[in-house]
Amino acid sequence: MAEGADIAGRKSDHIDIVLAASPSESDRIATGLEAVRFEHCALPELSLAEIDVSAAFFAKRLKAPLLISSMTGGPERAARINAHLAEAAEELGIALAVGSQRIAIEGRASGGLDASLRRRAPSIPILANIGAAQLVLGYGRNEAMRAVEMIGADALIVHLNPLQEAVQAGGDTDWRGVLGKIGTLARELAVPLVVKEVGAGISASLARRLVDLGVAAIDVAGAGGTSWAAVEAERAADARLKRTAMVFADWGIPTARAIAEARAACPDTLLIGSGGLKTGLDVARAIRLGADLCGQAAASLAAADHSSEAVVAHFAAVVEELRIACFCTGSTDLKALKRAPLINPPDLAG
Amino acid sequence: MAEGADIAGRKSDHIDIVLAASPSESDRIATGLEAVRFEHCALPELSLAEIDVSAAFFAKRLKAPLLISSMTGGPERAARINAHLAEAAEELGIALAVGSQRIAIEGRASGGLDASLRRRAPSIPILANIGAAQLVLGYGRNEAMRAVEMIGADALIVHLNPLQEAVQAGGDTDWRGVLGKIGTLARELAVPLVVKEVGAGISASLARRLVDLGVAAIDVAGAGGTSWAAVEAERAADARLKRTAMVFADWGIPTARAIAEARAACPDTLLIGSGGLKTGLDVARAIRLGADLCGQAAASLAAADHSSEAVVAHFAAVVEELRIACFCTGSTDLKALKRAPLINPPDLAG
Amino acid sequence: MAEGADIAGRKSDHIDIVLAASPSESDRIATGLEAVRFEHCALPELSLAEIDVSAAFFAKRLKAPLLISSMTGGPERAARINAHLAEAAEELGIALAVGSQRIAIEGRASGGLDASLRRRAPSIPILANIGAAQLVLGYGRNEAMRAVEMIGADALIVHLNPLQEAVQAGGDTDWRGVLGKIGTLARELAVPLVVKEVGAGISASLARRLVDLGVAAIDVAGAGGTSWAAVEAERAADARLKRTAMVFADWGIPTARAIAEARAACPDTLLIGSGGLKTGLDVARAIRLGADLCGQAAASLAAADHSSEAVVAHFAAVVEELRIACFCTGSTDLKALKRAPLINPPDLAG
Amino acid sequence: MAEGADIAGRKSDHIDIVLAASPSESDRIATGLEAVRFEHCALPELSLAEIDVSAAFFAKRLKAPLLISSMTGGPERAARINAHLAEAAEELGIALAVGSQRIAIEGRASGGLDASLRRRAPSIPILANIGAAQLVLGYGRNEAMRAVEMIGADALIVHLNPLQEAVQAGGDTDWRGVLGKIGTLARELAVPLVVKEVGAGISASLARRLVDLGVAAIDVAGAGGTSWAAVEAERAADARLKRTAMVFADWGIPTARAIAEARAACPDTLLIGSGGLKTGLDVARAIRLGADLCGQAAASLAAADHSSEAVVAHFAAVVEELRIACFCTGSTDLKALKRAPLINPPDLAG
Ligand SMILES: Cc1cc2nc3c(=O)[nH]c(=O)nc-3n(C[C@H](O)[C@H](O)[C@H](O)COP(=O)(O)O)c2cc1C
Ligand SMILES: Cc1cc2nc3c(=O)[nH]c(=O)nc-3n(C[C@H](O)[C@H](O)[C@H](O)COP(=O)(O)O)c2cc1C
Ligand SMILES: Cc1cc2nc3c(=O)[nH]c(=O)nc-3n(C[C@H](O)[C@H](O)[C@H](O)COP(=O)(O)O)c2cc1C
Ligand SMILES: Cc1cc2nc3c(=O)[nH]c(=O)nc-3n(C[C@H](O)[C@H](O)[C@H](O)COP(=O)(O)O)c2cc1C
């Protein structure tokens, strides 16, 4: 219980730190998406209103290729945030990934991660979430299915966060055997398994190995957006931890590169591009580089903390920007956008 | 009528916003012209006074390869601005493109776009102007000829502005069929047809398609100067529109690249280089990259708002700078300037 | 004696200047290490606690691949600093290189460079230190052995500092014959001979020549960290000297390049990477480029001036950062780290 | 006479403007020399004191490869400055180029450009100076010999300044026939003919043509130092002239490139590198790129305005810096320096 309170406090800290993200953040590593520039099409033979930005997520269809990325909060705050996100995702017709269900699985507090979530979002894809570190500590098929069933999820995310664990006091840093356990889950689970990072990126070689083990989708969650090392540095009480976390604030594979390389390594896998995406133009760029869907966490957090209307308004803007990017590249749908010509494309070939 | 008042107010806003362009604009995307550096010729075997910067515009001859680019204003303001521009263009012997004639065609207000314009500028080329969006809304050969005849124009410009339409409230964003209508106009019109953008550039492939349809000249109007997304962001009342417009403030093909690529794709077409040209040195660079004529809108707007003398003085400086660029590259005329050696030329090959 | 006091004063100045290093220093030349970016491994099949960062230093084994780089101070200050460093190095299990023993050899003051040093650090490698300039002024095998024996050293460093000598008043700048004397020392000395720079780097061709003469290890001490020209500029009384020293403040081979090139030229030599290393991530980068061990002077000076506990804490952080770099690249030991994939590696091939 | 007073006033303005050069100048175009980085030689088998930096200037030998570049001033000021420079050049054993002798040739005022100059500097090379514009206005062999004899010069410089003439009110901009007149002078003159620019550089192709016409030496005087367009902009009374001059403030071939290309085109010609050289390290870089001698104007002007001692002190520092650059690259003389290895050399091949 003490540990539970501890985790809960930590999660709430995270939200406050991300929301307060200082301008100095802009000095940090970039996603690389800013270097992806589309060639303008001055004469699109299209109607903006008719552009089709829908996308498939396994059996379901999304109105836009978007996923609200996993975010945990402290128990009361989480409940509110999750309710806002679920209602908004349903209205928007986009996917929702919940934050880590560790506390909920351990039965200590649900934070809104229960049947109420699915009631708020009956039709859209919902993704459950557990951490690789939990797999080490003994989680297996049973706990995974509990996470899925608790919220009626369509798929399960396992998140990989070795750096975050390494730069925090008491993090779980014995990761031996995790790959095997992911393989077992992929085989035994009733729903598709998705593996994601949390802001440092998944390399092409790891993506390939995971897909070979049966993982159904990869969310690169690359560097350039939320930096967990920077967040943990902000939280760190002791100077040594703070220094060490800051040393790794820029660690990671930038999102643009992570997407391009994972797509090259896994041509047929469902690929989620995320990490530092801010606008619908960023979404268009990520799709151009090979993403099928795009995720966003930090950029939607303020809206999530506020109301479901705010979340709807935020993502409506993102969708409109994506549509304009399609319009001004003459792309009638996302398939066309994936082939839109670029100006002076960055070399992301490895 | 209400709509007319509305458009008129919008146009006057545009002028004020462009005139007030904040210094922060300098953070924005560049034309790419600044990277075009001429090799100095320390011993030009020339007389500066004898350098020939004249250029052909279809049947007429210009004293300098310059075009005052299309600018609309609100009705009273437009009348004054157009009078200044016409008198100055006549004195300078350069071409004048008028702003959109939509309001005038619809008979609501002429803004100086009537027979008085040609009286003020009897000898120079005058270019009429309608928008691609008007073609969608039903304009055809008749309206086009009305635009031409109203001001005794030598040619008609159709401007393409899909981004501007997309980022403003209530813009015209159904562009299906525009290409076909342009082809029809090109065939049926009594005067040459020119197609231009308004600051986001025309790609090489589109330029080629337009020329194949019979378009007589292309004005690239590339990115790096006036950004209509930024202007509309400034005007936007609602926060969502403002955000979305800002996302696209840097969209577009930079002018230098647009010129070089259009020239490569259309070796024999009359090519107008424009978008962010400020000085006669910029004009020299655009010509070096392949432009036959150069257009300028925003940089001449303050003078246009002031007096015809101010416009003459402004363009006289531009011409003198172009002549000095010829002198210091040892170029006796614009044909020679097109072959002047460059230092470390930027790679604009696509 | 007067000269001794003079040297002593100078050395104490050096420490104060390095400790006060102004932020403007950050405008100066970079080590090049910042451009070495590891590919993140999101799923290390490792336990952070089990990662092996031990390294060999000739016959001895270090707990981490670290060397405290040579630093002299004025006599009393030096004694304190050397005591702190020796106690800390022993506790940490890392190597300690002492500062120049010139004053001590000449019997004028020991500054802690006597048998007490070895008593404080009985097990770790200790490196004695003399300057190339001393070789010119007559030092030979006898003085070298006195330096080694005085502190029970495992090896002897000869430092090369031509720039520092050249930009200071009365520096020793007749270096004819130094190479031959180093060759003789390498043959005749009972302990291994190490040659280092002091912050301007050792080139690949010189490294190769030194190794061919029998030198057992090279410490590149490249540019990007302490700049002796800048330090001497700070100290210079007369304006001419200050100006001339500043002209050379950015002189030298950046550390990253120096390491990569020396490793390519001397594939089997013990190579110490140093010059501007600040964090354990810098150490990981230097090792990735080819260093076997890494040295740090300025970054540890404040701790050294304070207490042995501060030195232990400082290097413990460095070691932890190195371990995290191993963990997040999936490297089980330093041998694996040397092969860890990089993102967009800088071209350091010459 | 009125015209003479006018020129005199203008020249004095120039000096004040150059002396007051604002820090904003540092935003301007760079010489390119800053990108030339020597590989450090940590073990020079040399004595700094024995390094030979002497150089040949036609029949005479200089103690260092330096030329004080041509500078005119108003009449009284010029006399003082020229006296200081002559005494200092004699003491330093370096060459002295005087400023334009136009006023003196026309017999209106000598500004110290008379027999007194040679008395102050009996042994060193002195270079006379006339402008290309004067050749157009009728100067020929007679005026040229008068310039040479008036000061007992060893050679005659003809300076080319088309940009400076073009951006000033009433400049001489009819340059037809200048090349032929230079050829005639080269054939007919009793002393070697040197051709220089004044800060915009001489291209490789022009250098080659001049040499083919019999010109004995080229002084590139490239961009990155004094910009005459910027100086004239500062002086310009009317806004149009000021604007136009500023447009060309960054015009020209950067010094580093100009030297490298001229050397490639003229492998055996005496080549003077100048334009923005500040330190002896810049001199070393220019020599490494192919210069035989190096010139400096603006950087020595403050000293020249002060006293001959100040000039001696200034150039003594430059020489010492050049010697240190030789020492720290292991170069025993300038011939060796020309082959010293560079780090990551800039591509100046055209
Ligand atoms: C407040 C917050 C909480 C998060 N909690 C989780 C989590 O519980 N599980 C997870 O897989 N990722 C979590 N993440 C990581 C995000 O899902 C995402 O991968 C990362 O923030 C990068 O995306 P961004 O730059 O759009 O924020 C969290 C992110 C934030 C900002
Ligand atoms: C105030 C203003 C009004 C404009 N109105 C029109 C117009 O009515 N029709 C048109 O084709 N372009 C119009 N433009 C676009 C310009 O013709 C030009 O293509 C664009 O501004 C880029 O050039 P610049 O960077 O020199 O301003 C306008 C531009 C400005 C600044
Ligand atoms: C205060 C101070 C004193 C030094 N004294 C010596 C010395 O006596 N002998 C020597 O070989 N290097 C000496 N050095 C140079 C260092 O060993 C090292 O090569 C150089 O400072 C570059 O490393 P850094 O950037 O980590 O400081 C000294 C450095 C400092 C900062
Ligand atoms: C005050 C001043 C006067 C000059 N007058 C002349 C001149 O009369 N003749 C000439 O050939 N160059 C003249 N120059 C140009 C210089 O000789 C030199 O080519 C140019 O300034 C570039 O070198 P710098 O960057 O070292 O100043 C003058 C330069 C200065 C600063």
Side-chain angles (χ1 to χ4, degrees):
Chain A
M1 187 62 214
E3 199 200 336
D6 197 55
I7 299 188
R10 172 150 64 81
K11 302 285 177 188
S12 195
D13 278 5
H14 288 165
I15 293 187
D16 292 332
I17 292 168
V18 173
L19 285 176
S22 68
S24 75
E25 289 227 350
S26 60
D27 294 343
R28 291 231 308 273
I29 189 183
T31 58
L33 292 170
E34 66 293 340
V36 177
R37 293 187 56 85
F38 288 100
E39 183 178 281
H40 177 61
C41 174
L43 190 38
E45 290 275 295
L46 298 173
S47 168
L48 176 54
E50 309 275 303
I51 289 170
D52 175 13
V53 296
S54 72
F57 182 81
F58 299 114
K60 293 185 175 172
R61 189 113 204 130
L62 304 176
K63 288 200 199 137
L66 295 176
L67 175 82
I68 303 177
S69 294
S70 308
M71 290 186 280
T72 24
E76 346 73 64
R77 214 163 175 184
R80 204 160 46 96
I81 288 179
N82 284 327
H84 296 159
L85 293 176
E87 286 164 12
E90 180 68 25
E91 182 170 339
L92 291 156
I94 66 176
L96 170 64
V98 302
S100 171
Q101 291 169 271
R102 177 178 177 185
I103 301 180
I105 292 172
E106 294 174 6
R108 294 184 303 212
S110 81
L113 299 181
D114 52 28
S116 68
L117 195 85
R118 184 44 99 188
R119 274 199 305 274
R120 289 194 161 87
S123 74
I124 57 151
I126 293 183
L127 291 86
N129 186 303
I130 61 173
Q134 271 66 63
L135 295 182
V136 182
L137 301 180
Y139 276 35
R141 195 189 160 284
N142 289 348
E143 291 76 9
M145 279 315 297
R146 209 171 325 141
V148 169
E149 282 158 11
M150 181 186 299
I151 55 172
D154 300 271
L156 173 72
I157 291 174
V158 174
H159 69 256
L160 308 177
N161 63 341
L163 177 60
Q164 185 186 11
E165 299 291 341
V167 296
Q168 68 183 253
D172 296 314
T173 54
D174 185 349
W175 282 49
R176 287 172 295 185
V178 172
L179 196 67
K181 295 195 178 184
I182 287 178
T184 309
L185 269 191
R187 272 194 314 278
E188 298 183 353
L189 213 62
V191 296
L193 189 64
V194 180
V195 174
K196 77 184 278 280
E197 236 285 339
V198 299
I202 290 184
S203 68
S205 59
L206 178 57
R208 187 66 251 168
R209 277 167 82 195
L210 290 168
V211 170
D212 290 342
L213 285 175
V215 168
I218 301 290
D219 179 348
V220 298
T226 303
S227 158
W228 283 103
V231 170
E232 296 293 346
E234 203 63 40
R235 280 183 61 229
D238 106 68
R240 208 284 290 156
L241 273 180
K242 195 182 276 295
R243 170 200 146 119
T244 294
M246 273 317 294
V247 164
F248 289 90
D250 275 347
W251 183 271
I253 309 172
T255 296
R257 177 174 293 272
I259 294 171
E261 294 190 355
R263 174 48 80 213
C266 310
D268 306 314
T269 305
L270 181 71
L271 185 63
I272 304 171
S274 75
L277 273 58
K278 294 208 163 54
T279 67
L281 179 51
D282 283 340
V283 170
R285 288 159 164 161
I287 287 175
R288 177 60 181 76
L289 294 177
D292 296 308
L293 304 181
C294 290
Q296 206 183 48
S300 64
L301 183 54
D305 205 29
H306 190 273
S307 66
S308 54
E309 289 73 26
V311 176
V312 169
H314 169 76
F315 280 105
V318 170
V319 171
E320 182 62 11
E321 291 150 10
L322 170 60
R323 302 178 70 85
I324 294 176
C326 288
F327 186 57
C328 289
T329 55
S331 307
T332 190
D333 56 20
L334 302 182
K335 206 171 140 214
L337 183 66
K338 286 190 186 224
R339 297 184 311 255
L342 297 181
I343 297 175
N344 210 9
D347 180 13
L348 300 172
Chain B
M1 188 64 213
E3 199 201 338
D6 197 56
I7 299 188
R10 172 151 62 83
K11 303 285 176 187
S12 195
D13 277 5
H14 288 165
I15 294 188
D16 292 331
I17 292 167
V18 172
L19 286 175
S22 67
S24 74
E25 288 226 353
S26 61
D27 293 343
R28 289 232 309 274
I29 189 184
T31 58
L33 292 169
E34 66 293 341
V36 177
R37 294 188 55 85
F38 288 100
E39 183 177 282
H40 177 61
C41 173
L43 191 37
E45 290 275 296
L46 298 173
S47 168
L48 175 55
E50 309 274 305
I51 289 171
D52 176 13
V53 296
S54 71
F57 181 81
F58 298 115
K60 294 186 175 172
R61 189 112 205 131
L62 305 176
K63 288 201 200 135
L66 296 175
L67 175 82
I68 303 177
S69 293
S70 307
M71 290 185 279
T72 23
E76 347 75 62
R77 214 164 177 185
R80 203 161 46 97
I81 288 179
N82 284 328
H84 296 160
L85 292 176
E87 287 164 12
E90 180 67 26
E91 182 169 341
L92 291 155
I94 66 176
L96 170 64
V98 301
S100 171
Q101 290 169 271
R102 177 178 178 186
I103 301 180
I105 292 173
E106 294 173 5
R108 294 184 304 214
S110 80
L113 299 181
D114 51 29
S116 70
L117 195 84
R118 183 45 97 185
R119 277 198 304 275
R120 287 194 161 88
S123 73
I124 56 151
I126 293 183
L127 292 85
N129 186 301
I130 60 173
Q134 270 66 63
L135 295 183
V136 183
L137 299 179
Y139 276 35
R141 195 188 160 285
N142 289 349
E143 291 76 9
M145 279 315 297
R146 203 163 339 134
V148 168
E149 281 157 14
M150 180 186 300
I151 55 172
D154 300 90
L156 173 73
I157 291 174
V158 174
H159 69 256
L160 309 176
N161 63 340
L163 177 60
Q164 187 186 8
E165 298 291 341
V167 297
Q168 68 183 254
D172 295 314
T173 55
D174 184 349
W175 284 49
R176 288 173 294 186
V178 172
L179 196 66
K181 296 195 178 186
I182 287 178
T184 309
L185 269 191
R187 272 195 313 278
E188 298 183 354
L189 213 61
V191 296
L193 189 65
V194 180
V195 175
K196 76 183 278 280
E197 236 283 342
V198 299
I202 290 184
S203 68
S205 59
L206 178 57
R208 187 66 249 168
R209 278 167 81 195
L210 291 168
V211 169
D212 290 344
L213 286 175
V215 168
I218 301 290
D219 179 348
V220 299
T226 303
S227 158
W228 283 104
V231 170
E232 296 294 345
E234 203 63 41
R235 279 182 61 230
D238 106 67
R240 208 284 290 156
L241 273 179
K242 197 183 274 297
R243 171 200 144 118
T244 294
M246 275 317 294
V247 164
F248 289 90
D250 275 347
W251 182 272
I253 309 172
T255 296
R257 177 174 295 269
I259 295 171
E261 293 190 356
R263 175 50 78 215
C266 309
D268 305 315
T269 305
L270 182 70
L271 185 63
I272 304 170
S274 75
L277 273 58
K278 294 209 163 55
T279 68
L281 178 51
D282 284 340
V283 170
R285 289 158 165 162
I287 288 175
R288 176 62 181 75
L289 294 178
D292 297 308
L293 304 182
C294 290
Q296 205 182 49
S300 63
L301 183 55
D305 205 31
H306 190 273
S307 66
S308 54
E309 289 73 27
V311 176
V312 170
H314 169 76
F315 281 104
V318 170
V319 172
E320 182 62 11
E321 291 151 11
L322 170 60
R323 301 178 70 84
I324 294 177
C326 288
F327 186 58
C328 289
T329 55
S331 307
T332 189
D333 55 21
L334 301 182
K335 206 171 139 215
L337 183 65
K338 287 190 186 224
R339 296 184 312 254
L342 297 180
I343 297 175
N344 210 9
D347 179 12
L348 299 173
Chain C
M1 187 62 213
E3 199 201 338
D6 197 56
I7 299 187
R10 172 151 63 82
K11 302 285 178 189
S12 196
D13 277 4
H14 288 165
I15 293 188
D16 292 331
I17 292 168
V18 173
L19 285 176
S22 67
S24 75
E25 288 227 350
S26 60
D27 294 343
R28 289 233 309 275
I29 188 183
T31 58
L33 292 169
E34 66 293 341
V36 177
R37 294 188 54 85
F38 288 100
E39 182 178 280
H40 177 61
C41 174
L43 190 39
E45 290 274 297
L46 298 173
S47 168
L48 176 54
E50 309 274 305
I51 289 170
D52 175 13
V53 295
S54 71
F57 182 81
F58 299 114
K60 292 185 175 173
R61 191 113 203 131
L62 305 176
K63 289 200 200 138
L66 296 175
L67 175 82
I68 302 177
S69 293
S70 307
M71 292 185 279
T72 24
E76 348 72 64
R77 214 162 175 186
R80 205 161 46 97
I81 287 179
N82 284 327
H84 296 159
L85 292 175
E87 287 163 13
E90 180 69 25
E91 183 169 338
L92 291 154
I94 67 176
L96 171 64
V98 302
S100 170
Q101 289 169 273
R102 177 176 177 187
I103 301 180
I105 292 172
E106 294 173 6
R108 293 184 305 214
S110 82
L113 299 181
D114 52 29
S116 70
L117 195 84
R118 184 44 100 188
R119 276 198 305 273
R120 290 193 159 87
S123 74
I124 56 151
I126 292 182
L127 292 86
N129 185 303
I130 62 174
Q134 270 67 64
L135 295 183
V136 182
L137 300 180
Y139 276 36
R141 196 189 159 283
N142 288 349
E143 291 77 9
M145 280 314 299
R146 204 163 339 135
V148 169
E149 281 158 12
M150 181 188 298
I151 55 174
D154 300 89
L156 174 72
I157 291 175
V158 173
H159 69 257
L160 309 176
N161 62 342
L163 178 60
Q164 185 186 12
E165 298 291 342
V167 296
Q168 69 183 253
D172 295 314
T173 54
D174 184 350
W175 283 49
R176 287 172 294 187
V178 172
L179 196 66
K181 295 196 177 183
I182 288 178
T184 309
L185 269 191
R187 273 195 312 278
E188 297 184 353
L189 214 61
V191 295
L193 189 63
V194 180
V195 174
K196 77 185 277 280
E197 236 284 339
V198 299
I202 290 183
S203 68
S205 59
L206 178 57
R208 187 67 249 169
R209 277 168 81 196
L210 291 167
V211 169
D212 289 343
L213 285 175
V215 168
I218 301 289
D219 179 348
V220 298
T226 303
S227 158
W228 283 103
V231 170
E232 295 294 346
E234 203 63 39
R235 278 183 62 229
D238 106 67
R240 210 283 292 156
L241 273 180
K242 196 182 276 295
R243 170 201 145 116
T244 294
M246 273 316 293
V247 164
F248 289 90
D250 276 347
W251 182 272
I253 308 172
T255 296
R257 177 173 296 271
I259 295 171
E261 293 190 356
R263 174 50 77 213
C266 311
D268 306 314
T269 306
L270 182 70
L271 185 62
I272 304 171
S274 74
L277 273 58
K278 293 210 163 55
T279 67
L281 178 52
D282 284 340
V283 169
R285 289 159 163 161
I287 287 175
R288 176 60 181 75
L289 294 178
D292 297 308
L293 304 181
C294 290
Q296 206 182 49
S300 64
L301 183 55
D305 204 31
H306 189 274
S307 65
S308 53
E309 289 73 26
V311 176
V312 169
H314 168 77
F315 281 104
V318 170
V319 171
E320 182 62 11
E321 291 151 9
L322 170 61
R323 303 177 69 84
I324 293 176
C326 288
F327 186 57
C328 289
T329 54
S331 308
T332 189
D333 55 21
L334 302 182
K335 207 172 139 213
L337 183 65
K338 287 190 186 224
R339 295 184 313 255
L342 296 182
I343 296 176
N344 209 9
D347 179 12
L348 300 172
Chain D
M1 188 61 214
E3 199 201 340
D6 197 56
I7 299 187
R10 173 150 64 83
K11 302 285 178 190
S12 195
D13 278 5
H14 289 165
I15 293 187
D16 291 331
I17 292 168
V18 173
L19 285 176
S22 68
S24 76
E25 287 227 352
S26 60
D27 293 344
R28 289 233 309 275
I29 189 183
T31 58
L33 292 169
E34 66 293 340
V36 177
R37 294 187 55 86
F38 288 100
E39 183 177 282
H40 177 62
C41 173
L43 190 39
E45 290 275 296
L46 298 172
S47 168
L48 176 55
E50 310 273 305
I51 289 170
D52 176 13
V53 295
S54 71
F57 181 83
F58 299 114
K60 293 186 175 172
R61 190 114 203 128
L62 305 175
K63 288 200 200 137
L66 295 175
L67 175 81
I68 303 178
S69 293
S70 306
M71 291 185 279
T72 24
E76 348 72 63
R77 214 161 174 186
R80 203 160 47 96
I81 288 179
N82 284 327
H84 296 159
L85 292 176
E87 287 164 13
E90 180 69 25
E91 183 169 340
L92 291 156
I94 67 177
L96 171 63
V98 301
S100 170
Q101 289 168 273
R102 178 178 177 185
I103 300 179
I105 292 172
E106 294 172 7
R108 294 185 305 212
S110 81
L113 299 181
D114 52 28
S116 69
L117 195 83
R118 184 46 99 188
R119 275 200 304 275
R120 288 193 160 89
S123 74
I124 57 150
I126 292 182
L127 291 86
N129 185 302
I130 61 173
Q134 271 65 63
L135 295 182
V136 182
L137 300 179
Y139 277 36
R141 194 189 161 285
N142 288 349
E143 290 78 7
M145 279 315 298
R146 204 162 340 133
V148 169
E149 281 158 11
M150 182 187 298
I151 56 173
D154 300 90
L156 173 72
I157 291 174
V158 174
H159 69 259
L160 309 177
N161 61 341
L163 177 60
Q164 186 185 10
E165 299 291 341
V167 297
Q168 68 183 253
D172 296 314
T173 54
D174 184 350
W175 284 49
R176 288 174 293 185
V178 172
L179 196 66
K181 295 195 179 186
I182 288 178
T184 310
L185 269 191
R187 273 195 312 277
E188 297 184 353
L189 213 62
V191 295
L193 188 64
V194 180
V195 174
K196 75 184 279 279
E197 237 283 342
V198 300
I202 290 184
S203 68
S205 59
L206 177 58
R208 185 67 250 168
R209 277 166 81 197
L210 291 168
V211 169
D212 290 343
L213 285 175
V215 168
I218 301 289
D219 179 347
V220 298
T226 303
S227 158
W228 283 103
V231 170
E232 296 294 346
E234 203 64 40
R235 279 182 62 228
D238 104 69
R240 210 285 290 158
L241 274 179
K242 197 183 274 295
R243 171 200 145 118
T244 295
M246 273 317 293
V247 164
F248 289 90
D250 275 347
W251 182 271
I253 309 172
T255 296
R257 176 173 296 270
I259 295 171
E261 293 190 355
R263 175 49 78 215
C266 310
D268 305 315
T269 306
L270 182 69
L271 185 63
I272 304 170
S274 74
L277 272 59
K278 293 209 163 54
T279 67
L281 178 51
D282 284 340
V283 170
R285 290 159 164 161
I287 288 175
R288 177 60 181 75
L289 294 178
D292 297 309
L293 303 182
C294 290
Q296 205 182 50
S300 64
L301 183 55
D305 204 31
H306 189 274
S307 65
S308 54
E309 289 73 26
V311 176
V312 170
H314 169 75
F315 281 104
V318 170
V319 172
E320 182 62 11
E321 290 151 11
L322 170 61
R323 302 178 70 85
I324 293 176
C326 289
F327 186 57
C328 288
T329 55
S331 307
T332 188
D333 55 21
L334 301 182
K335 206 171 139 216
L337 183 65
K338 286 189 187 227
R339 296 183 313 254
L342 297 181
I343 296 175
N344 210 10
D347 179 12
L348 299 173

